[in-house]
């Protein structure tokens, strides 16, 4: 039987397709249910042939993106779909599942920058997004492709992922918006209420299994084997296409100027690979003429990429990830390792780590200048502080720190810090609430003491 998706399989004429990152020559349709190279098992990447894109000049691309993003015009107001031709051009309008994600604020962290001795410090608040983390950028793309696959008669009936945090929240929200069933696999008893509640609220089928995260991953792979349920985990490289818009968006927000440094917290290494991929595309198409230097920031409790970097990437070092406050980057065997090496090497980048105490202090310090940082952003800020002290990042350098999630998703971390009860952390900036009787004199005395009179 000739299926409705047959025309999409003629990849020979396609200019955007999956290819193997290890160099196998086959092209695969983006609308095939395929996660890794069938020949060698390596990760795939979405490749965009450059020639068709070069038909438009760099200036024309800039004008096009500037004219779209932030407007209400469907779907171009989205930070992701405003760059539609660079993301997944083969999607039909009606299959794009967008809640106008991206286009997040990049703001001048003037006071924190002054205190750290780096006046040109900027924070990119990717957590000011639909589900509170940058994962929305990837999920809008993945769920859109699934919607088109389903519209074209694919056997896919649902999407699934094993995750305890931001990935499942984003998948559940975008699937609900599209009306596609989502199945979320969690390790029972190992996730907080906050991590559980977003997919529950969005109507996902939330399955708490009597195992750990790796055990969930094993089950989800088995359950998705017959291709009726589409796997949305990190090995799926469609998500990278949405995530790569962050770097492009930052440059756009600086009127197409490239910052000197971008610091980003990393776990599975998809996000930093995406950042590099966006910059490479801008470079190839002449929108920019140089790369920023990328800094991958790891939690010391889950630092395989840092350990590998120290060997000059001679070998891939995996670690047993330990508990860390930065739980979204608690990964010992990162999926996008090879892609991330390229990102670091090609940008003369650096990998650095932060202890629990350092990440908590950096987050609390930033909060005292008006932010509300998640622990992962704390990792990035702690690493920035180290590189400044070491003189690697100079005080005159324009530096962007990517804040990957909203602090409100991590209130346990905040409360624990200010109540001075986090393991391995000295709460030097603790600012607990003061409990007083309802007595004006007692209140005045307390305020005067605080103000130092
Ligand atoms: C997923 C995530 C990261 C890390 O991204 P990777 O692609 O896994 O390296 C960092 N911060 C937050 C908040 C995340 O959810
Ligand atoms: Zn291959």
């Amino acid at each position: 039987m000739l299926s409705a998706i047959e025309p999409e399989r003629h990849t020979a004429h396609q200019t955007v397709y999956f290819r193997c990152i290890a160099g196998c020559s086959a092209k695969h349709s983006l609308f095939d249910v395929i996660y890794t190279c069938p020949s060698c098992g390596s990760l795939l990447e979405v490749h965009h042939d450059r020639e068709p894109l070069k038909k438009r000049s760099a200036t024309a691309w800039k004008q096009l993106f500037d004219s779209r993003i932030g407007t209400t015009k469907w779907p171009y107001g989205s930070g992701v779909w405003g760059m539609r031709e660079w993301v997944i051009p083969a999607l039909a309008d009606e299959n794009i599942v967008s809640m106008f994600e991206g286009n997040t604020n990049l703001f001048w962290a003037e006071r924190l920058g002054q205190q750290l001795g780096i006046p040109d410090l900027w924070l990119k608040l990717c957590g000011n997004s639909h589900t509170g983390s940058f994962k929305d950028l990837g999920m809008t793309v993945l769920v859109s492709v699934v919607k088109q696959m389903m519209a074209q008669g694919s056997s896919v009936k649902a999407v699934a992922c094993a995750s305890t945090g931001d990935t499942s929240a984003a998948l559940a929200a975008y699937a609900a918006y599209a009306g596609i069933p989502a199945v979320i696999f969690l390790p029972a008893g190992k996730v907080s209420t906050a991590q559980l509640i977003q997919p529950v609220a969005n109507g996902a089928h939330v399955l708490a299994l009597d195992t750990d995260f790796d055990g969930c991953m094993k089950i989800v792979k088995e359950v998705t084997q017959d291709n009726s349920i589409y796997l949305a985990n990190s090995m799926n490289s469609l998500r990278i296409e949405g995530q790569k818009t962050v770097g492009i968006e930052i440059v756009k927000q600086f009127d197409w100027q490239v910052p000197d440094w971008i610091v980003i917290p990393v776990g599975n290494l998809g996000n930093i690979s995406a950042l590099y991929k966006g910059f490479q595309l801008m470079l190839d198409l002449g929108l920019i003429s140089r790369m920023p230097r990328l800094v991958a920031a790891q939690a010391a409790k889950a630092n395989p990429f840092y350990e590998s970097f120290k060997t000059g990437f001679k070998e891939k070092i995996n670690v047993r990830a330990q508990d860390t406050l930065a739980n979204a980057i608690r990964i010992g065997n990162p999926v996008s390792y090879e892609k991330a090496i390229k990102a670091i090497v090609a940008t003369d980048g650096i990998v650095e780590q932060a202890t629990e105490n350092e990440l908590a202090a950096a987050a609390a310090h930033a909060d005292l200048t008006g932010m509300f940082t998640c622990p992962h952003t704390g990792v990035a800020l702690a690493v920035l502080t180290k590189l400044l002290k070491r003189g690697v990042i100079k005080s005159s350098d324009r530096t962007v720190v990517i804040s990957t999630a909203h602090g409100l998703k991590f209130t346990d971390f905040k409360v624990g810090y200010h109540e001075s009860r986090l393991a391995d952390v000295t709460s030097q900036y603790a600012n607990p609430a003061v409990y007083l009787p309802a007595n004006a004199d007692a209140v005045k005395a307390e305020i005067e003491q605080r103000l130092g009179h």
Side-chain angles (χ1 to χ4, degrees):
M1 195 186 85
L2 210 70
S3 95
I5 62 170
E6 203 58 29
E8 286 296 346
R9 292 180 189 279
H10 294 296
T11 50
H13 306 297
Q14 288 181 22
T15 61
V16 185
Y17 46 84
F18 281 132
R19 70 177 187 189
C20 168
I21 62 165
C24 301
S25 61
K27 298 177 179 181
H28 309 277
S29 165
L30 303 181
F31 301 92
D32 278 351
V33 182
I34 182 171
Y35 311 112
T36 51
C37 173
S39 313
C40 77
S42 294
L43 285 190
L44 299 172
E45 66 180 353
V46 176
H47 180 71
H48 295 253
D49 283 348
R50 301 304 199 238
E51 288 318 311
L53 297 174
K54 281 182 178 166
K55 287 185 187 141
R56 198 181 301 237
S57 73
T59 308
W61 280 120
K62 291 175 187 175
Q63 282 169 352
L64 184 68
F65 296 163
D66 284 336
S67 74
R68 287 173 170 171
I69 295 166
T71 66
T72 51
K73 197 160 189 297
W74 177 267
Y76 300 107
S78 155
V80 173
W81 300 107
M83 305 172 192
R84 181 179 187 172
E85 294 83 355
W86 290 16
V87 179
I88 310 282
L91 279 170
D93 273 10
E94 67 269 23
N95 294 324
I96 292 182
V97 183
S98 171
M99 292 187 271
F100 281 30
E101 49 291 309
N103 195 28
T104 52
N105 47 326
L106 170 66
F107 81 96
W108 183 31
E110 183 186 10
R111 186 151 173 252
L112 181 63
Q114 266 173 12
Q115 291 175 3
L116 296 177
I118 181 167
D120 208 357
L121 175 63
W122 297 75
L123 259 85
K124 176 68 172 163
L125 293 191
C126 295
N128 286 3
S129 182
H130 193 71
T131 68
S133 88
F134 82 88
K135 296 285 196 296
D136 291 346
L137 302 173
M139 280 309 171
T140 180
V141 174
L142 183 142
V143 175
S144 299
V145 170
V146 170
K147 191 172 176 199
Q148 182 142 322
M149 287 162 65
M150 292 170 79
Q152 291 174 339
S154 149
S155 59
V156 169
K157 291 182 182 60
V159 288
C161 77
S163 147
T164 59
D166 299 324
T167 299
S168 49
L171 181 64
Y174 280 85
Y177 189 67
I180 296 169
V183 191
I184 306 294
F185 292 78
L186 305 171
K190 294 192 176 66
V191 305
S192 71
T193 315
Q195 289 170 321
L196 188 70
I197 201 63
Q198 281 180 295
V200 164
N202 286 138
H205 196 175
V206 179
L207 304 174
L209 305 187
D210 186 17
T211 176
D212 60 4
F213 176 78
D214 292 328
C216 285
M217 201 55 229
K218 235 172 95 182
I219 302 283
V220 79
K221 275 187 179 165
E222 235 174 277
V223 170
T224 55
Q225 202 119 69
D226 76 351
N227 290 355
S228 64
I229 301 180
Y230 193 72
L231 184 58
N233 269 92
S234 266
M235 84 241 322
N236 192 313
S237 41
L238 288 170
R239 286 167 49 192
I240 302 281
E241 294 312 290
Q243 289 172 14
K244 82 180 181 196
T245 61
V246 168
I248 305 166
E249 195 168 282
I250 288 169
V251 173
K252 175 184 165 320
Q253 286 170 313
F254 282 129
D255 291 324
W256 303 100
Q257 300 299 306
V258 179
D260 298 308
W261 297 90
I262 299 180
V263 187
I264 182 169
V266 301
N268 246 330
L269 304 176
N271 206 17
I272 190 164
S273 310
L275 200 55
Y276 169 65
K277 199 163 186 268
F279 275 98
Q280 187 61 55
L281 189 53
M282 284 191 284
L283 200 61
D284 289 352
L285 298 178
L287 278 78
I288 58 173
S289 54
R290 68 178 177 95
M291 286 281 182
R293 293 182 71 184
L294 300 184
V295 179
Q298 290 226 284
K301 298 262 189 186
N303 64 351
F305 197 48
Y306 173 73
E307 294 294 342
S308 303
F309 174 74
K310 281 204 303 189
T311 72
F313 296 126
K314 276 197 195 67
E315 53 175 329
K316 180 177 183 189
I317 296 175
N318 293 329
V319 303
R320 238 185 80 108
Q322 297 164 266
D323 279 343
T324 167
L325 295 161
N327 64 3
I329 55 175
R330 184 190 182 281
I331 285 155
N333 180 8
V335 168
S336 294
Y337 176 74
E338 276 84 10
K339 292 182 183 177
I341 291 178
K342 238 200 275 177
I344 293 297
V345 171
T347 65
D348 192 16
I350 292 172
V351 188
E352 188 46 85
Q353 64 174 0
T355 65
E356 297 298 288
N357 194 46
E358 288 166 342
L359 76 87
H365 179 195
D367 288 0
L368 290 175
T369 68
M371 300 176 204
F372 198 69
T373 48
C374 76
H376 321 88
T377 307
V379 171
L381 288 168
V383 162
L384 166 69
T385 307
K386 280 187 180 175
L387 295 179
L388 279 167
K389 278 200 184 126
R390 219 186 286 155
V392 177
I393 296 181
K394 305 272 185 294
S395 64
S396 58
D397 289 345
R398 170 168 284 180
T399 302
V400 178
V401 169
I402 297 193
S403 175
T404 45
H406 201 295
L408 284 172
K409 290 185 94 169
F410 300 89
T411 45
D412 288 350
F413 161 64
K414 296 289 185 198
V415 174
Y417 183 87
H418 288 286
E419 291 181 352
S420 301
R421 45 178 181 74
L422 296 181
D424 306 320
V425 171
T426 311
S427 298
Q428 65 182 114
Y429 298 108
N431 179 37
V434 179
Y435 290 85
L436 296 174
N439 172 310
D441 288 336
V443 170
K444 278 187 206 163
E446 165 65 26
I447 294 173
E448 272 173 28
Q449 197 194 357
R450 175 76 169 247
L451 292 177
H453 293 298

